[in-house]
Amino acid sequence: MAVNHEKIRRLLGEKEPPTDHSLRAKSLGRALDGDIPKTLTPYEWEQWYAEHGMPDSHVAPPPTKKNTPWWRTAGNTLASNIDKTPLYTTWLGRAGLLPFIGLLAALYLDTQHQQLWAKSLASYTLAIICFLVGAWWGLALIRRSPAALLMSNAVVLVAFFGHVLLASGSFFLLGAILFVATVVIERRHALFHPQPPYYARLRLQLSLVASASLLLAALHLWVPTN
């Protein structure tokens, strides 16, 4: 004769231990006991949070800011800096014209120190020409253009020996020609086609102003004033 264990437990008032050991059953049991469940559906989590609130263990800690050394982030360009690059480029380029205009004005107004202002303007012109064509090296190495390397060195040599051997007025004329020549090269050579349009326009504007300043300086030195 079979023994009915379930009937015996009911008569004795004993509770049958749960036989469902699934994850859902365990989570439901913890929820009924007031404990934090571990596996609920997204909808069930929303209901549980609405009824019990968000427990501290479920709140994500605030992100910790790592102290990265400055030399590791010096080369990184953030989006905000990229957006400001045209602005910085434009104003730095325009600031580079101030010595051309200022030294030209000093050359006209302070005739007693004419040689000083002429030499200063010639030296600054040489420095800017070397700066402009020196930037060609980086592009030439990346794009593997030996012709650009040769053109860069040729322009520097012409400017250097012109500064050393020519009189100030003649060098100003040479400098004006080199400024225009560098713009023409950058407009025609395929190496410089990736330049942003705003920079190409800026280079033309700055070169024209610098060339005009040099031509006016040369004219002042060649034409005697009474």
Side-chain angles (χ1 to χ4, degrees):
M1 180 177 178
V3 179
N4 192 337
H5 295 283
E6 182 180 356
K7 186 175 182 180
I8 296 174
R9 280 194 295 268
R10 284 202 305 269
L11 293 174
L12 296 177
E14 295 179 356
K15 293 183 179 180
E16 183 179 1
T19 57
D20 188 358
H21 299 287
S22 64
L23 294 177
R24 182 179 178 82
K26 292 180 180 179
S27 298
L28 182 60
R30 279 191 293 267
L32 294 175
D33 294 338
D35 297 335
I36 300 175
K38 294 184 178 179
T39 54
L40 294 178
T41 64
Y43 177 73
E44 291 172 339
W45 275 119
E46 291 181 2
Q47 288 185 322
W48 194 91
Y49 287 149
E51 295 177 2
H52 301 85
M54 179 77 71
D56 295 338
S57 59
H58 287 201
V59 178
T64 57
K65 185 178 180 181
K66 297 182 180 180
N67 294 325
T68 306
W70 65 268
W71 59 83
R72 292 187 178 179
T73 59
N76 295 337
T77 305
L78 301 178
S80 59
N81 291 334
I82 293 177
D83 295 337
K84 294 179 181 178
T85 299
L87 178 64
Y88 291 161
T89 303
T90 301
W91 284 106
L92 287 174
R94 292 173 179 174
L97 291 177
L98 294 179
F100 285 106
I101 299 173
L103 291 173
L104 174 64
L107 192 64
Y108 272 81
L109 299 176
D110 187 9
T111 56
Q112 294 182 352
H113 302 91
Q114 181 172 278
Q115 291 301 319
L116 172 63
W117 305 128
K119 290 181 179 179
S120 300
L121 181 58
S123 298
Y124 185 71
T125 300
L126 176 63
I128 294 300
I129 292 174
C130 293
F131 168 76
L132 291 175
V133 298
W136 294 1
W137 268 68
L139 292 174
L141 293 176
I142 294 174
R143 303 288 294 275
R144 299 183 179 181
S145 175
L149 296 176
L150 295 175
M151 287 189 296
S152 174
N153 282 20
V155 172
V156 170
L157 290 175
V158 171
F160 172 74
F161 285 107
H163 181 264
V164 172
L165 300 176
L166 297 178
S168 296
S170 300
F171 177 71
F172 292 155
L173 177 60
L174 176 63
I177 295 174
L178 290 179
F179 277 128
V180 176
T182 56
V183 173
V184 173
I185 292 174
E186 292 183 5
R187 288 295 182 94
R188 294 182 175 272
H189 200 285
L191 177 68
F192 305 98
H193 287 173
Q195 284 182 344
Y198 81 89
Y199 179 72
R201 292 192 299 268
L202 180 66
R203 279 280 288 118
L204 177 61
Q205 296 168 2
L206 299 180
S207 297
L208 291 178
V209 174
S211 298
S213 300
L214 293 177
L215 292 177
L216 290 175
L219 182 64
H220 178 71
L221 294 179
W222 286 339
V223 178
T225 56
N226 296 327

